[in-house]
């Protein structure tokens, strides 16, 4: 099993020690690898191309060719393996995939903003124009003028709320924010104090497990908790019951249709007994200005869950919703968890 000089550099092994030996004597890591299977096929007379072979020895990527060498009797006496090191190409391709994904997200945001400009922001403007015209035609009626002015004020306030929501969303960048230790128990305590009057008014109960301390951006995590809890308080036609729990999830576990790529995650579950929504809207609710219950008299700009999704994605995490109309909603959030910075999960 001779190697050329380039292989010497990659594998850090002298060729003289390999000549005459079985490949597994020199590289026992290759047992059960696709290379051994391809070598066997090549010795059977097949010419093989492996477009992307991940070496168990060097941890690099190769495009490998397995070429059977035959004698005059057409018998295979050896196999020539030619490997092109494509590690740099693969790395560049992965970076390109990330950039393409970010570009797709950016394009989706632009499409959503275009919709806002053409629809959501136009609607209050249209009402202001209509009521202004009606008012000018009814100048002699003080009651009519007051009614139209009230409607104009409501439309102006609605437009103000929409513009503020757009600004909040656009400022929520995934670049340049600082991270620090965040005690989620304190985060929830502060939010309960902020929402104290609404919680009392709604006769709501919030039950939670003990949370870990994570290493994220405090302001964004606070906004995440605030939006989800406010959402549960808002979309309920009975006394809201909110249950929040956490657990540690290992990588490559399939959770709610997600294959988690990192080593460890904290799973946060926000469960409520609210009005819920039909399952077909489970991803649509995270779109900016998506208001499923606007016609039922529930307030809001439709940006809260879009902000939650952007916050979670900023932290390289995932968020999934599961619901059924009239039977409440569950939000599953996965944030990366590093023992070196976070300590043990409580």
């Amino acid at each position: 099993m001779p190697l050329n000089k380039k292989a010497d550099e990659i594998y850090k092994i002298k060729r003289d020690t390999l000549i005459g030996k079985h490949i597994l004597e020199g590289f026992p890591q290759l047992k059960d690898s696709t290379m051994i299977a391809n070598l066997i096929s090549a010795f059977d007379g097949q010419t093989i191309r492996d477009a992307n072979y991940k070496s168990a020895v060097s941890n690099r990527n190769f495009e490998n060719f397995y070429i059977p060498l035959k004698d005059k009797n057409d018998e295979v006496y050896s196999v020539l393996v030619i490997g092109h090191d494509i590690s740099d190409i693969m790395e560049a391709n992965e970076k390109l995939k990330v950039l393409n994904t970010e570009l797709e997200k950016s394009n989706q945001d632009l499409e959503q903003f275009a919709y806002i400009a053409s629809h959501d922001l136009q609607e209050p403007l249209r009402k202001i124009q209509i009521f202004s015209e009606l008012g000018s035609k009814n100048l002699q009626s003080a009651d009519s003028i007051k009614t139209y002015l009230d409607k104009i004020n409501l439309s102006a306030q609605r437009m103000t709320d929409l513009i503020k929501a757009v600004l909040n969303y656009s400022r929520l960048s995934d670049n340049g924010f600082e991270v620090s230790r965040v005690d989620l128990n304190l985060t929830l305590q502060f939010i309960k104090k902020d929402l104290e009057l609404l919680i009392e008014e709604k006769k709501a109960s919030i039950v939670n497990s003990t949370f870990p301390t994570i290493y994220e951006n405090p302001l964004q995590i606070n906004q995440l908790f605030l939006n989800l809890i406010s959402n549960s308080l808002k979309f309920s036609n009975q006394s809201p019951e909110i249950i929040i729990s956490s657990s540690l999830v290992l990588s490559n576990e399939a959770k709610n249709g997600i294959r988690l790529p990192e080593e460890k995650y904290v799973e946060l579950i926000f469960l409520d007994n609210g009005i819920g929504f039909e399952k077909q809207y489970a991803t649509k609710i995270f779109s900016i200005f998506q208001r499923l219950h606007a016609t039922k008299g529930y307030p809001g700009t439709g940006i809260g869950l879009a902000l939650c999704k952007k916050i979670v994605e900023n932290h390289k995490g995932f968020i999934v919703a599961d619901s059924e109309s009239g039977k409440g909603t569950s939000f599953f959030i996965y944030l990366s968890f590093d023992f070196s910075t976070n300590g043990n999960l409580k």
Side-chain angles (χ1 to χ4, degrees):
M1 187 189 66
L3 301 174
N4 63 8
K5 290 183 178 180
K6 185 63 178 178
D8 287 350
E9 297 174 9
I10 294 175
Y11 298 116
K12 309 297 182 184
I13 191 169
K14 293 183 178 180
R15 283 175 287 170
D16 295 343
T17 63
L18 297 175
I19 295 176
K21 291 185 178 180
H22 190 280
I23 187 172
L24 292 179
E25 293 183 63
F27 304 106
Q29 307 97 315
L30 296 178
K31 185 180 179 182
D32 300 324
S33 69
T34 56
M35 173 171 273
I36 297 299
N38 288 332
L39 281 170
I40 292 172
S41 297
F43 272 107
D44 286 337
Q46 300 179 48
T47 299
I48 307 292
R49 173 180 176 263
D50 188 346
N52 184 14
Y53 170 71
K54 182 73 171 182
S55 173
V57 180
S58 65
N59 202 36
R60 297 184 68 79
N61 293 84
F62 293 89
E63 179 187 24
N64 285 345
F65 295 87
Y66 302 82
I67 304 169
L69 304 179
K70 301 180 180 180
D71 59 21
K72 59 183 180 180
N73 297 320
D74 205 33
E75 296 289 336
V76 178
Y77 66 88
S78 185
V79 171
L80 173 64
V81 181
I82 301 175
H84 296 154
D85 190 341
I86 58 172
S87 301
D88 292 342
I89 296 174
M90 295 298 296
E91 184 179 350
N93 285 341
E94 287 302 315
K95 290 180 179 178
L96 187 59
K97 286 180 182 178
V98 172
L99 290 174
N100 283 336
T101 301
E102 291 176 353
L103 181 60
E104 288 177 4
K105 286 174 58 180
S106 178
N107 286 339
Q108 290 172 1
D109 286 345
L110 286 174
E111 289 175 4
Q112 290 176 345
F113 283 128
Y115 177 81
I116 295 163
S118 64
H119 184 272
D120 293 82
L121 293 178
Q122 291 286 353
E123 185 59 22
L125 276 176
R126 186 181 68 84
K127 288 181 178 179
I128 290 172
Q129 183 178 14
I130 289 173
F131 293 129
S132 296
E133 291 174 355
L134 289 172
S136 66
K137 294 176 181 178
N138 294 272
L139 294 175
Q140 305 306 317
S141 173
D143 290 341
S144 296
I145 292 295
K146 183 179 184 308
T147 299
Y148 297 142
L149 286 175
D150 287 343
K151 290 183 179 295
I152 288 171
N153 284 332
L154 286 174
S155 295
Q157 185 59 53
R158 169 65 178 164
M159 190 168 184
T160 299
D161 292 342
L162 289 172
I163 291 171
K164 286 181 179 178
V166 171
L167 290 174
N168 287 336
Y169 187 83
S170 64
R171 288 168 181 162
L172 194 59
S173 171
D174 58 353
N175 296 316
F177 64 80
E178 295 182 356
V179 297
S180 60
R181 295 178 70 86
V182 182
D183 185 340
L184 296 179
N185 301 286
L186 292 177
T187 299
L188 182 59
Q189 286 181 27
F190 293 144
I191 288 172
K192 284 182 177 179
K193 289 180 180 178
D194 290 340
L195 298 175
E196 183 177 8
L197 293 178
L198 183 58
I199 291 171
E200 290 180 1
E201 178 187 333
K202 291 273 191 175
K203 296 182 173 56
S205 68
I206 300 177
V207 179
N208 62 279
S209 63
T210 302
F211 299 125
T213 295
I214 61 176
Y215 199 74
E216 308 289 2
N217 179 266
L219 291 177
Q220 292 192 19
I221 296 301
N222 185 84
Q223 186 71 52
L224 173 66
F225 270 55
L226 179 62
N227 286 2
L228 289 173
I229 293 172
S230 297
N231 212 62
S232 294
L233 293 172
K234 183 191 306 178
F235 296 107
S236 179
N237 53 16
Q238 58 184 315
S239 296
E241 295 178 1
I242 306 169
I243 301 173
I244 313 171
S245 61
S246 67
S247 62
L248 181 64
V249 179
L250 300 179
S251 63
N252 293 323
E253 289 188 27
K255 300 289 291 185
N256 295 291
I258 298 173
R259 180 69 65 177
L260 303 173
E262 299 292 340
E263 290 188 3
K264 302 176 186 70
Y265 284 82
V266 171
E267 179 186 55
L268 299 172
I269 303 176
F270 288 73
L271 184 151
D272 66 44
N273 64 338
I275 60 176
F277 55 84
E278 295 178 8
K279 291 184 180 295
Q280 67 198 64
Y281 298 112
T283 56
K284 193 175 182 180
I285 59 169
F286 294 111
S287 297
I288 189 171
F289 292 112
Q290 181 60 53
R291 300 180 66 203
L292 298 183
H293 305 297
T295 58
K296 298 179 182 179
Y298 290 93
T301 59
I303 198 172
L305 293 178
L307 284 170
C308 290
K309 186 173 188 291
K310 196 171 181 75
I311 288 168
V312 172
E313 289 179 346
N314 281 355
H315 292 82
K316 313 304 179 187
F318 305 89
I319 183 170
V320 180
D322 182 42
S323 185
E324 191 172 343
S325 184
K327 296 186 178 181
T329 303
S330 298
F331 289 97
F332 301 86
I333 299 157
Y334 301 94
L335 300 172
S336 61
F337 185 81
D338 184 356
F339 277 114
S340 64
T341 55
N342 294 320
N344 294 321
L345 187 70
K346 297 178 182 178

